[in-house]
Amino acid sequence: MKSIKIIILFVLTSFSINAQQKISVEEIYTGTFRAKGMDELQAMKNTNQYTVLNSDRATRSQQIDLYDYATLKKVSTLIDSKNFKDLSDGIDSYTFSTDEKQILIANNTNPIFRHSFTADYFLYNLASKALTKIFEQVQEPTFSPDGTKIGFAKENNLFIYDIASKQVAQVTFDGKKNEIINGITDWVYEEEFAFVRAFDWSADSKKIGFIRFDESAVPEFTMNIYKKDLYPTVETFKYPKAGEKNAVVSLHIYEVNSKSKKDINLGNYSDFYIARMKWTNDANILSVQVLNRHQDNLDLIFIDGTSGSARVVMNEKDNAYIDVTDNLTFLKDNSFIWTSEKDGYNHIYFYDKTGKLKNQVTKGNWEVTAYYGFDEKTKTVFYQSVENGSTVRDVYKISLDGKSKTKLSQQSGTNDATFSPDYSYFINTYSSAIQPTTYTLNNSKDGKLVQSIVSNEALSEKLKKYNLPIKEFFELTTEKGNKLNAWIIKPKDFDTAKKYPVFMYQYSGPGSQQVTNSWLDTDDYWFMSLTQQGYIVACVDGRGTGFKGASFKKLTQKELGKYEVEDQIDAAKVIGNYSYVDKTRIGIFGWSYGGFMASNCILKGADVFKMAIAVAPVTNWRFYDSIYTERYMQTPQENASGYDNNSPINFADKLKGNFLLIHGTADDNVHFQNSMQFIEALVQANKQFDWAVYPDKNHGIYGGKTRIQLFNKMTNFIKEKL
């Protein structure tokens, strides 16, 4: 009888393990686990409604649908692509005019760099239902506030389209590839200040402020593009590396009626950045944010649109650097809301229209992570923060005087909000490590649930057969006493009596965060698949990462890669001492900054890490762009040791373990040069290693079956070497 029980127990145990369906790389990277969302969700400004871009697979069409916030019911379909032959390629994105009576619709989008693209644009009149193609392959078309004109950029020049007359007026004439850009940012601004449109309409639609980039003295970078042609072509663009010349920027105001241009003298600056520009609610006052090259001094400047005079209304200084955000918000009287880290944590501040501080709205040893808006009627600010722990996000409201704070989100995890125009409701986007993304309607009085919108129950049901392991969150304390956020994923059939190999993942860049209580991304599914093959996967956010205060984040200043590498090595030692871990089989992986880190770890932590995979890594900070690198390192001329002591290329002779280096040849961000010179250093150090090159692939290394081949390659390397 006893033997029968043992057999039954064995059968049941085997069944439960076998019942865990294996996750394949092919499934992950062909969208099998993609969650449903609300594409192109936009809150209307004039009515208590919102729009979503929906798709109909049966008719292969797309619709911009209008919904009511209060009832969630569809009010109407504003436009359906199947009714218009010109939209047979679909709708890529859309924007409304200020009065919401016209829509600009983009399709046939062609990416340029990370954020920039050209596209064909159609103007749709909601009253007449007329669709008119107005632009072919232009950038950043933007309605004037009065809805009569559209500003846009093409081939480095700025133009204005008059909707009534259908006439185009050219604003600038000196635009030239790799020399002069008007109204659109250069490569490094786009990548590191994260904006493309460098022009803005005044509130009365009479003026356009724009930034001009003179990049003629910026060194050029070239890449071979191979395709399937007999001869490769060469792509050349301006890329200022650390310590090299930046584009010379200047600010200008164009008068639409008189067709005259005013050059603005910002003041006595040299080698500076115009990190943001925005017209205030006063139609005659343009605001700009000017940063010095070290990015530790920021001036908020108000420009008089008539006289062109400039005055500094607010100044911020920092011993390390100042992060630029889009949180500057002007109220009706031109007083403004601003976020700053000046008390050691990112918080909301309220200033009058002269720049005098009225009140610090939020306070505490926690960070505001998003600013949603301000309700003028109730004098209430809406925001997101990490007040309940740096790995979670909650939605709050607070009075402008800093009182009556109310937590609006109900569930622990990651909450984000899209508020209705009158702030009476918000669509809450929620997820956690065990809950796929849900969209719910909540009221803004107390945050209570009104109605579910999207639940992703189908995905939850689909995942049951995979019996996924749980991502466990904890705080890891190193031997040096550093407390670091971490997660660990163990095999579903985890046995404390066994010794497991550990595969560590990290990114580690300044202000970043990988340890968050949010739903799985595609890489998480890959990590889960590795646990199905007997690996433990862990992730640790070391010093220098974000959302734990400025001192924690900015500790790495002038020494990128020193403390972060130290923390990953120390964390690996802690994990290696767990009773169920085989400390001789610990590997590490990362992409971009994470690839820089993985490379350093296998070199400087040669006795701790058995293997490493580095994808698209920076291997020498001298090769990376000026704005990002100098923000944290100053220039190589000022901080040579900071650059050289932490660049993997200088430590190739320390390689002991198994190393896989991966890069795309058309990476405009972290240039292939990084890997080529690192490979040569490893060769000359007589080190054996593996490497993979992806022709014509950029920093993301994707397209066709690329991701499938890449992740299968990495999986096989892990199985063979770890």
Side-chain angles (χ1 to χ4, degrees):
M1 193 70 182
K2 189 175 181 182
S3 62
I4 293 173
K5 282 184 178 178
I6 292 171
I7 292 168
I8 292 171
L9 181 62
F10 174 76
V11 170
L12 289 174
T13 305
S14 299
F15 177 79
S16 65
I17 295 169
N18 293 334
Q20 185 185 27
Q21 184 168 319
K22 300 294 186 186
I23 299 171
S24 71
V25 166
E26 286 75 11
E27 286 177 308
I28 297 169
Y29 294 99
T30 53
T32 298
F33 306 114
R34 190 176 294 127
K36 285 177 63 179
M38 298 178 72
D39 292 343
E40 293 284 326
L41 170 64
Q42 295 185 32
M44 303 295 276
K45 300 289 191 297
N46 303 317
T47 59
N48 218 37
Q49 296 169 321
Y50 64 91
T51 58
V52 175
L53 181 61
N54 290 318
S55 298
D56 186 334
R57 287 190 177 183
T59 59
R60 301 185 69 175
S61 61
Q62 291 176 292
Q63 305 79 35
I64 301 175
D65 290 326
L66 181 68
Y67 296 85
D68 182 77
Y69 260 105
T71 65
L72 295 183
K73 290 182 178 178
K74 186 166 83 170
V75 177
S76 64
T77 294
L78 299 182
I79 187 170
D80 191 328
S81 67
K82 74 173 183 286
N83 297 327
F84 297 91
K85 187 171 64 175
D86 285 342
L87 295 180
S88 58
D89 291 331
I91 297 171
D92 295 341
S93 60
Y94 62 93
T95 55
F96 286 92
S97 59
T98 303
D99 62 8
E100 296 173 339
K101 293 179 180 179
Q102 302 175 95
I103 311 176
L104 260 177
I105 297 172
N107 76 1
N108 193 21
T109 298
N110 290 293
I112 302 173
F113 297 120
R114 188 188 296 267
H115 305 288
S116 57
F117 60 89
T118 60
D120 296 340
Y121 285 89
F122 299 83
L123 184 64
Y124 184 65
N125 187 297
L126 285 165
S128 67
K129 309 295 184 187
L131 182 76
T132 307
K133 186 174 185 178
I134 55 173
F135 305 130
E136 284 192 4
Q137 296 303 299
V138 305
Q139 288 184 266
E140 301 295 321
T142 305
F143 282 109
S144 60
D146 64 7
T148 64
K149 297 176 179 64
I150 298 170
F152 68 96
K154 184 167 185 172
E155 297 175 349
N156 292 18
N157 278 315
L158 194 57
F159 301 83
I160 296 173
Y161 174 81
D162 185 276
I163 294 173
S165 68
K166 299 182 180 180
Q167 298 298 305
V168 173
Q170 188 163 346
V171 174
T172 66
F173 295 84
D174 58 348
K176 186 178 180 182
K177 182 177 172 61
N178 288 335
E179 289 190 19
I180 304 295
I181 314 172
N182 293 287
I184 296 292
T185 56
D186 66 355
W187 185 95
V188 71
Y189 266 63
E190 174 182 339
E191 179 66 27
E192 306 303 354
F193 287 139
F195 75 109
V196 175
R197 180 167 62 87
F199 70 89
D200 197 33
W201 287 96
S202 63
D204 60 5
S205 304
K206 294 179 179 178
K207 302 180 185 72
I208 288 182
F210 69 94
I211 305 171
R212 178 182 184 268
F213 292 78
D214 181 348
E215 56 177 3
S216 53
V218 177
E220 291 182 342
F221 190 82
T222 59
M223 300 186 302
N224 280 337
I225 306 299
Y226 299 96
K227 297 183 180 177
K228 295 181 180 180
D229 300 330
L230 185 61
Y231 292 92
T233 57
V234 175
E235 185 174 323
T236 302
F237 59 100
K238 298 288 185 163
Y239 186 108
K241 298 200 175 192
E244 298 297 313
K245 286 187 177 179
N246 283 322
V248 176
V249 292
S250 54
L251 183 69
H252 309 271
I253 294 177
Y254 179 78
E255 297 265 1
V256 176
N257 292 333
S258 65
K259 297 184 178 180
S260 61
K261 179 170 69 72
K262 187 183 277 85
D263 303 331
I264 305 301
N265 181 4
L266 289 170
N268 190 26
Y269 297 101
S270 62
D271 216 353
F272 63 97
Y273 300 113
I274 303 176
R276 290 289 186 273
M277 63 166 296
K278 180 180 184 177
W279 283 94
T280 71
N281 286 327
D282 183 330
N284 201 45
I285 296 179
L286 174 66
S287 76
V288 294
Q289 296 176 41
V290 173
L291 274 174
N292 62 334
R293 184 149 181 169
H294 278 172
Q295 299 172 67
D296 56 9
N297 186 95
L298 184 148
D299 286 334
L300 176 64
I301 301 174
F302 281 2
I303 313 295
D304 185 293
T306 303
S307 67
S309 62
R311 63 186 176 93
V312 177
V313 295
M314 190 186 68
N315 169 262
E316 281 208 11
K317 291 181 173 65
D318 193 281
N319 291 329
Y321 59 89
I322 296 168
D323 275 321
V324 174
T325 74
D326 290 309
N327 294 336
L328 173 62
T329 303
F330 291 98
L331 310 188
K332 286 181 178 177
D333 63 356
N334 243 29
S335 58
F336 58 91
I337 289 171
W338 176 266
T339 57
S340 170
E341 291 181 306
K342 64 183 180 180
D343 78 345
Y345 294 86
N346 193 49
H347 282 296
I348 298 170
Y349 294 80
F350 175 47
Y351 293 83
D352 70 15
K353 65 181 180 181
T354 68
K356 179 183 176 183
L357 179 63
K358 300 283 286 182
N359 184 42
Q360 181 175 344
V361 181
T362 61
K363 296 174 184 174
N365 296 338
W366 46 270
E367 307 251 307
V368 169
T369 45
Y371 168 80
Y372 293 125
F374 176 69
D375 183 358
E376 292 266 7
K377 288 183 181 177
T378 61
K379 305 298 180 189
T380 303
V381 175
F382 297 86
Y383 66 95
Q384 179 200 61
S385 78
V386 293
E387 188 167 351
N388 299 301
S390 56
T391 63
V392 300
R393 302 286 186 276
D394 281 299
V395 178
Y396 282 86
K397 67 176 181 178
I398 191 170
S399 295
L400 196 57
D401 60 8
K403 298 176 182 178
S404 306
K405 181 167 66 175
T406 304
K407 180 169 169 281
L408 297 177
S409 47
Q410 307 289 313
Q411 297 171 281
S412 181
T414 298
N415 294 274
D416 199 1
T418 303
F419 283 87
S420 61
D422 66 359
Y423 293 98
S424 59
Y425 297 99
F426 66 98
I427 293 173
N428 192 69
T429 307
Y430 167 76
S431 77
S432 73
I434 58 173
Q435 171 60 56
T437 306
T438 63
Y439 297 81
T440 58
L441 181 69
N442 299 66
N443 74 60
S444 299
K445 184 179 179 182
D446 53 18
K448 286 186 178 176
L449 174 70
V450 176
Q451 192 175 334
S452 173
I453 306 173
V454 176
S455 66
N456 269 306
E457 287 178 3
L459 177 59
S460 296
E461 192 63 32
K462 178 189 291 185
L463 289 173
K464 284 182 180 178
K465 63 185 178 185
Y466 294 93
N467 196 20
L468 298 180
I470 300 297
K471 188 183 279 190
E472 302 172 31
F473 293 87
F474 64 104
E475 189 175 69
L476 183 148
T477 304
T478 67
E479 287 186 0
K480 297 183 180 72
N482 294 310
K483 297 182 183 300
L484 310 173
N485 292 336
W487 55 249
I488 194 167
I489 310 172
K490 300 168 185 171
K492 195 69 178 181
D493 59 351
F494 176 71
D495 182 349
T496 55
K498 288 185 177 180
K499 292 278 191 180
Y500 291 89
V502 173
F503 186 64
M504 292 176 65
Y505 160 69
Q506 48 65 57
Y507 177 76
S508 304
S512 65
Q513 187 178 48
Q514 262 50 57
V515 183
T516 61
N517 189 3
S518 57
W519 183 240
L520 314 178
D521 64 19
T522 49
D523 287 353
D524 283 317
Y525 286 105
W526 182 54
F527 300 145
M528 298 279 184
S529 76
L530 293 177
T531 69
Q532 293 179 334
Q533 298 172 70
Y535 296 93
I536 286 174
V537 183
C539 178
V540 179
D541 277 342
R543 287 170 293 174
T545 56
F547 311 109
K548 297 181 77 172
S551 60
F552 186 89
K553 180 175 72 172
K554 296 177 179 178
L555 175 79
T556 61
Q557 190 71 1
K558 294 187 184 180
E559 294 187 288
L560 287 187
K562 178 181 178 179
Y563 297 105
E564 306 98 302
V565 169
E566 183 181 298
D567 284 349
Q568 293 301 317
I569 293 172
D570 289 351
K573 289 177 179 177
V574 171
I575 292 169
N577 285 328
Y578 294 165
S579 61
Y580 50 82
V581 169
D582 182 348
K583 66 169 63 179
T584 67
R585 299 173 66 196
I586 299 177
I588 190 163
F589 157 70
W591 198 305
S592 193
Y593 197 101
F596 155 72
M597 287 288 298
S599 302
N600 263 334
C601 285
I602 194 71
L603 300 172
K604 295 188 175 185
D607 297 326
V608 176
F609 294 101
K610 184 180 181 183
M611 60 79 70
I613 302 174
V615 183
V618 171
T619 64
N620 185 340
W621 281 113
R622 295 169 185 269
F623 296 156
Y624 201 53
D625 76 58
S626 57
I627 293 179
Y628 182 93
T629 313
E630 294 172 16
R631 180 185 301 154
Y632 311 115
M633 298 283 280
Q634 296 190 352
T635 66
Q637 296 87 338
E638 296 168 299
N639 182 27
S641 63
Y643 279 75
D644 297 337
N645 292 345
N646 302 296
S647 288
I649 201 167
N650 297 322
F651 301 93
D653 61 336
K654 294 184 179 296
L655 181 64
K656 289 183 183 178
N658 302 295
F659 183 47
L660 174 58
L661 177 62
I662 297 167
H663 219 128
T665 66
D667 191 334
D668 62 275
N669 185 355
V670 179
H671 300 149
F672 187 46
Q673 171 191 22
N674 282 271
S675 285
M676 291 300 280
Q677 292 203 16
F678 191 25
I679 287 166
E680 176 62 11
L682 289 165
V683 168
Q684 294 309 317
N686 195 25
K687 298 296 180 179
Q688 294 299 315
F689 62 100
D690 293 86
W691 54 297
V693 172
Y694 287 86
D696 298 340
K697 296 299 182 284
N698 66 15
H699 196 54
I701 311 182
Y702 60 88
K705 295 186 178 179
T706 303
R707 278 287 173 105
I708 295 171
Q709 196 276 348
L710 168 61
F711 277 83
N712 274 325
K713 174 177 283 294
M714 293 197 295
T715 301
N716 293 335
F717 187 80
I718 294 164
K719 290 164 71 174
E720 181 184 340
K721 305 296 187 182
L722 189 63

